[in-house]
């Protein structure tokens, strides 16, 4: 990268001011000699070739616009350095990647994939239904045994839109402890956070993301090791991700498992991370 690089920081219409990482990252990048423009991914007036690097940050509306977003990835990648790169992003768009993690021996929650036309089968107890392509917990909902008819209607609605569906048990630890996002910059572990998501019961998220409560967290060696396995698998397939987030939960035996992998536009939990986490991000974006 040039000594004075130009960076496109990609967002979406209507979400300006909602990315809590921006007040930390943008001044630090500018202090490090990076000219940053916050740009909307589907703005036809943006000259993507004018940037040394384009970084996906809060393009949170992409699941509703996949027919335009996926071709956009390739157009941008053809004229500048897109991060994370387009093949990695396409892999991460669809949560069928969880099956690949499972095949590689990386622990995930018990997961059933329902393709359009499949008859829904739900686990005993409480469970979660969500689309295979989605962000911000949109179109995801939790259910109990008494809500099975509502869950079937949810699956039918998603299938009617052509979506594949995931069904997972609602793990006890998620209710008690929430999730633990672990952040990696340039393939190196940086920090973690504790996240609780207000997933609706037999309902849907109306805005771009579900309400969250986030605090700082110190990951233990076992959690870091599981997340490291994911980053190593991604690196082997696509190269080192500039940024990666691995969201962990605990299974009913108390062992960490991978709920989701976030390689597209994840929140980076810079407000919850140590001060040096911002510098690690800046270094990864400049390399």
């Amino acid at each position: 990268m040039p000594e004075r690089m130009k960076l496109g920081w990609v967002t979406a219409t209507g979400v300006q001011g909602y990315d809590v990482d921006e007040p930390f990252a943008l001044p630090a990048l500018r202090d490090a000699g990076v000219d940053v423009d916050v740009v909307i991914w589907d703005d036809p007036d943006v000259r993507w070739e004018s940037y040394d690097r384009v970084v996906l940050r809060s393009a949170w509306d992409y699941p509703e616009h996949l027919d335009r977003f996926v071709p956009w990835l390739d157009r941008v990648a053809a004229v500048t350095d897109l991060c994370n790169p387009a093949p990695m992003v396409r892999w991460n768009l669809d949560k069928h990647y969880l099956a690949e993690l499972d095949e590689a021996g990386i622990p995930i929650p018990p997961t059933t994939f329902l393709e359009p036309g499949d008859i829904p089968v739900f686990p005993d107890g409480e469970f979660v239904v969500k689309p295979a392509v989605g962000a911000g917990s949109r179109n995801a909902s939790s259910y109990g045994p008494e809500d099975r008819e509502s869950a079937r209607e949810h699956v039918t609605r998603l299938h009617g839109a052509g979506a594949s569906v995931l069904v997972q048990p609602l793990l006890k630890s998620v209710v008690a402890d929430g999730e633990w996002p672990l952040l990696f910059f340039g393939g190196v572990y940086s920090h973690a956070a504790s996240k609780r998501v207000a997933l609706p019961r037999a309902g849907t998220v109306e805005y771009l993301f579900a309400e969250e409560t986030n605090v700082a967290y110190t990951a233990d060696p076992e959690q870091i090791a599981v997340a490291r396995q994911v980053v190593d698998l991604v690196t082997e397939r696509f190269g080192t991700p500039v940024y990666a987030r691995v969201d962990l939960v605990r299974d009913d035996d108390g062992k960490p498992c991978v709920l989701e992998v976030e390689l597209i536009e994840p929140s980076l939990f810079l407000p919850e991370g140590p001060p040096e986490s911002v510098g690690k991000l800046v270094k990864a974006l400049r390399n």
Side-chain angles (χ1 to χ4, degrees), residues 233-270:
L233 181 148
V234 171
T235 298
E236 183 177 350
R237 283 206 55 181
F238 304 106
T240 304
V242 173
Y243 49 86
R245 198 183 92 199
V246 182
D247 290 351
L248 300 180
V249 293
R250 293 196 188 278
D251 64 21
D252 288 342
D253 294 323
K255 297 294 185 180
C257 57
V258 179
L259 185 64
E260 290 191 4
V261 182
E262 300 274 7
L263 303 170
I264 303 173
E265 36 55 68
S267 294
L268 303 175
F269 292 92
L270 296 181

Side-chain angles (χ1 to χ4, degrees), residues 84-104:
N84 281 317
M88 188 184 297
V89 170
R90 282 195 295 270
W91 177 82
N92 193 221
L93 281 170
D94 191 319
K95 293 181 179 63
H96 280 84
Y97 65 73
L98 289 171
E100 185 173 336
L101 300 188
D102 188 38
E103 292 172 2

Side-chain angles (χ1 to χ4, degrees), residues 177-260:
D177 304 315
E179 307 169 16
W180 295 281
L182 274 66
L183 281 300
F184 292 75
F185 298 138
V188 178
Y189 174 67
S190 173
H191 63 284
S194 174
K195 177 175 94 168
R196 290 179 180 271
V197 178
L199 196 64
R201 182 61 173 258
T204 57
V205 174
E206 298 297 332
Y207 190 54
L208 284 171
F209 46 82
E211 182 180 350
E212 298 178 0
T213 301
N214 307 316
V215 296
Y217 176 75
T218 301
D220 63 43
E222 187 177 23
Q223 291 174 313
I224 295 173
V226 169
R228 175 82 263 170
Q229 286 181 274
V230 176
V231 175
D232 288 346
L233 181 148
V234 171
T235 298
E236 183 177 350
R237 283 206 55 181
F238 304 106
T240 304
V242 173
Y243 49 86
R245 198 183 92 199
V246 182
D247 290 351
L248 300 180
V249 293
R250 293 196 188 278
D251 64 21
D252 288 342
D253 294 323
K255 297 294 185 180
C257 57
V258 179
L259 185 64
E260 290 191 4

